[in-house]
Amino acid sequence: MGKYILTLDQGTTSSRAILFDREQNILASAQKELRQIYPREGWVEHDPIEIWSSQYAVMMEVIAQSGADPEEIAAIGLANQRETTVVWDRNTGLPVYNAICWQCRRTAPEVDRLREMGLEEYIRRTTGLIPDAYFSATKLKWILDKEDPGRERARRGELLFGTVDSWLIWKLTGGRAHVTDATNASRTMLYDIHRGCWDERLLEVLDIPRAMLPRVVECSGVVGHTQIGGVPVPIAGMAGDQQAALFGQTCFAPGEAKNTYGTGCFLLMNTGTIPCESRNGLLTTIAMSRAGEVQYALEGSAFTGGAVIQWLRDELGLLENSTQAQELAASVPDTGGVFLVPAFTGLGAPHWDMYARGTLVGLTRGTGRKHIVRAAQESIAYQVWDLVDAMEKDTGLKLSALNADGGASRDGFLLQFQADILGKPVRRPVVRETTALGAAYLAGLAVGFWTDTQELRRLWQEDAVYVPAMEPERSAELLSGWHRAVGRALDWVRK
């Protein structure tokens, strides 16, 4: 048995690799930023070759850093940005178009067409999702309409579709494995989460040939091997980044939940082996599939979380670096009545408004840089409050605490304000890279590196707890202002 698990964590803004030992210590890590491509307003793309080259580069860098022998790597786990859509040529192995990112809004008119056809309820019942340009289905149709309008190449299986997990595993295995796992499949808006198969009706409506779709496998299990220094290393764990983080936070039982503060904010609650249908704008999705069992989750997504801090830094020049946001936000007692709704690519749950846009309200002559930075920080916590509120209404369960992870969970100001506005403790684990850790757990269980989930629970450790300190009347006042601001942002781009 090897000494280590290697995790590849391909995210929206970067590719990273992390090497874990059996006690979940990080032996080495490497990260490389991923270029964002904006061809038009509301369009977001990535270069699939850059996704692959950056991910391969950090994988090899981690091995070099650690000095680990490839034979000491028990398995590879993979976590990935979800919904982002890649189509490539089976014969050349080259993409036919850039990857269309999950944030991209270009296919909103196609989603409107599906609604006009009366398919909204069918899509919700079958896939657990709400029709939205967020998901892969309409992105795939758009690429096919552009690159293979007659669908001849796709029907012959010459063009292959995949989310980022499929693309990377295809490259890692030298084209021997065209697969996806159940969590990523459940985010395409093409997959029947109850029957566990691609849905024929949705494929027909969108004119997507079945021959180009990957085989769906369990999240934990060997799907192929990649060569590292001439040594075949098994790829044994796969999950979309948010489901991987849920698993990495050891949310193995119904009612356990986590929020990832990344580019977006993603709140997931494990609902067990029976899917929970949302009445409050949340999604029903697959949390994990392993050893013949499928677990489901409720999910709420805020499209712009930590990305709002990047926007302050890169587009407005209000920050020299992202870590400065915490200091500036804490340097003023409040926002001076300013609210920022970061609906740069629309609003996700519970609003699901593809036509909402970013809004900054409450400005006065006294508004300064620090107030705007604080409003941006607070906007992340307000969006999470909306998700928690919807989730508690759907399940009838009151969260006792919220598990936090992701890059922005390093921000003490944000987590304290989150606890204040929720009125609940916020817990942060010692290992904050829970997306990577969850993928490592899935891979390690598949090859016997770890025995069972009980062993994983024993390994999980808490780093900090943020306890609510705000008066309930004050939090209610702030939330009222937030919801008034959201009302200004809704339906901004007229259809």
Side-chain angles (χ1 to χ4, degrees):
M1 173 58 64
K3 297 180 180 178
Y4 311 116
I5 296 289
L6 173 63
T7 295
L8 309 181
D9 182 4
Q10 204 298 302
T12 308
T13 57
S14 69
S15 298
R16 69 180 66 190
I18 300 177
L19 194 67
F20 293 98
D21 68 11
R22 202 176 306 277
E23 285 70 46
Q24 73 181 28
N25 297 308
I26 294 176
L27 276 297
S29 66
Q31 181 172 345
K32 186 175 178 60
E33 283 203 12
L34 186 65
R35 181 170 51 105
Q36 309 296 301
I37 302 169
Y38 305 105
R40 298 184 195 175
E41 181 183 354
W43 291 29
V44 189
E45 297 177 357
H46 294 152
D47 179 351
I49 298 299
E50 186 181 348
I51 290 174
W52 160 241
S53 62
S54 61
Q55 191 64 75
Y56 184 80
V58 293
M59 177 177 77
M60 300 310 293
E61 184 179 341
V62 157
I63 293 169
Q65 271 185 33
S66 65
D69 190 299
E71 292 184 349
E72 295 178 312
I73 301 173
I76 293 173
L78 173 65
N80 61 283
Q81 55 167 311
R82 306 171 304 170
E83 297 95 20
T84 295
T85 299
V86 187
V87 176
W88 67 94
D89 187 299
R90 178 192 292 273
N91 297 316
T92 66
L94 296 175
V96 302
Y97 187 79
N98 275 342
I100 300 182
C101 183
W102 59 271
Q103 298 169 309
C104 188
R105 301 279 92 191
R106 78 185 65 187
T107 61
E110 179 63 28
V111 174
D112 290 337
R113 184 182 76 89
L114 295 176
R115 287 200 175 105
E116 290 164 5
M117 293 173 65
L119 287 169
E120 182 167 3
E121 180 61 19
Y122 180 80
I123 289 171
R124 188 187 60 78
R125 283 189 289 105
T126 303
T127 70
L129 308 177
I130 293 169
D132 194 87
Y134 177 23
F135 306 110
S136 310
T138 55
K139 303 179 195 300
L140 174 53
K141 182 181 187 301
W142 190 94
I143 294 175
L144 285 175
D145 287 345
K146 182 179 186 301
E147 300 297 326
D148 187 20
R151 305 304 199 262
E152 288 87 356
R153 295 176 67 201
R155 288 193 177 90
R156 291 195 299 266
E158 295 173 13
L159 297 184
L160 301 180
F161 154 73
T163 41
V164 169
D165 59 315
S166 299
W167 168 242
L168 289 177
I169 288 174
W170 173 269
K171 299 295 284 184
L172 286 165
T173 62
R176 288 184 292 275
H178 181 214
V179 298
T180 190
D181 78 284
T183 66
N184 279 292
S186 74
R187 309 298 298 185
T188 61
M189 210 171 79
L190 295 170
Y191 191 71
D192 187 326
I193 62 172
H194 308 284
R195 294 187 297 141
C197 62
W198 300 113
D199 184 73
E200 298 83 355
R201 183 178 177 187
L202 292 173
L203 293 177
E204 182 179 356
V205 166
L206 293 164
D207 195 13
I208 294 172
R210 175 67 182 81
M212 71 183 309
L213 303 183
R215 178 170 60 92
V216 181
V217 299
E218 291 192 327
C219 302
S220 185
V222 176
V223 298
H225 292 76
T226 192
Q227 295 286 326
I228 302 178
V231 176
V233 179
I235 303 167
M238 300 166 59
D241 50 11
Q242 302 313 316
Q243 286 94 333
L246 185 71
F247 205 74
Q249 287 274 30
T250 65
C251 296
F252 305 141
E256 296 179 330
K258 68 87 198 175
N259 186 67
T260 295
Y261 297 84
T263 302
C265 284
F266 300 90
L267 181 69
L268 274 76
M269 176 189 283
N270 186 323
T271 61
T273 56
I274 299 175
C276 177
E277 187 174 305
S278 176
R279 300 173 302 282
N280 293 283
L282 301 178
L283 306 176
T284 304
T285 196
I286 293 177
M288 184 273 298
S289 62
R290 174 175 170 263
E293 179 181 275
V294 176
Q295 287 191 332
Y296 295 88
L298 272 181
E299 175 173 333
S301 307
F303 297 152
T304 304
V308 71
I309 306 303
Q310 291 178 318
W311 174 72
L312 294 178
R313 181 195 67 190
D314 299 339
E315 307 304 328
L316 298 191
L318 297 184
L319 303 172
E320 294 178 8
N321 54 68
S322 297
T323 58
Q324 194 180 15
Q326 175 176 322
E327 174 189 344
L328 290 174
S331 69
V332 288
D334 53 44
T335 67
V338 172
F339 290 89
L340 171 60
V341 182
F344 303 139
T345 56
L347 284 172
H351 311 286
W352 292 107
D353 186 345
M354 297 182 291
Y355 300 99
R357 286 298 180 267
T359 306
L360 185 62
V361 298
L363 299 175
T364 68
R365 184 63 184 82
T367 299
R369 168 194 182 202
K370 296 175 182 178
H371 299 103
I372 294 173
V373 171
R374 180 166 179 139
Q377 288 272 70
E378 291 185 0
S379 76
I380 300 171
Y382 290 135
Q383 291 179 94
V384 173
W385 186 94
D386 286 343
L387 300 179
V388 170
D389 180 61
M391 198 162 284
E392 290 183 336
K393 288 175 180 175
D394 273 337
T395 63
L397 301 172
K398 292 291 184 183
L399 293 184
S400 58
L402 180 66
N403 288 353
D405 57 61
S409 70
R410 293 187 296 265
D411 189 324
F413 172 86
L414 171 61
L415 293 195
Q416 182 58 57
F417 187 78
Q418 185 71 82
D420 288 343
I421 209 71
L422 280 177
K424 304 174 189 294
V426 175
R427 304 166 64 216
R428 184 174 65 199
V430 169
V431 179
R432 299 176 200 173
E433 300 293 350
T434 52
T435 297
L437 185 61
Y441 282 169
L442 290 165
L445 289 171
V447 297
F449 189 81
W450 290 295
T451 306
D452 52 31
T453 55
Q454 285 72 32
E455 180 181 0
L456 300 181
R457 280 195 188 277
R458 289 193 296 272
L459 289 170
W460 191 93
Q461 297 180 59
E462 187 178 89
D463 172 54
V465 181
Y466 294 83
V467 179
M470 183 182 289
E471 292 296 326
E473 294 78 12
R474 177 57 177 161
S475 64
E477 179 186 356
L478 290 172
L479 285 165
S480 175
W482 162 253
H483 289 127
R484 287 169 56 215
V486 169
R488 286 2 182 231
L490 295 173
D491 196 29
W492 186 259
V493 180
R494 296 296 177 182
K495 302 175 187 177

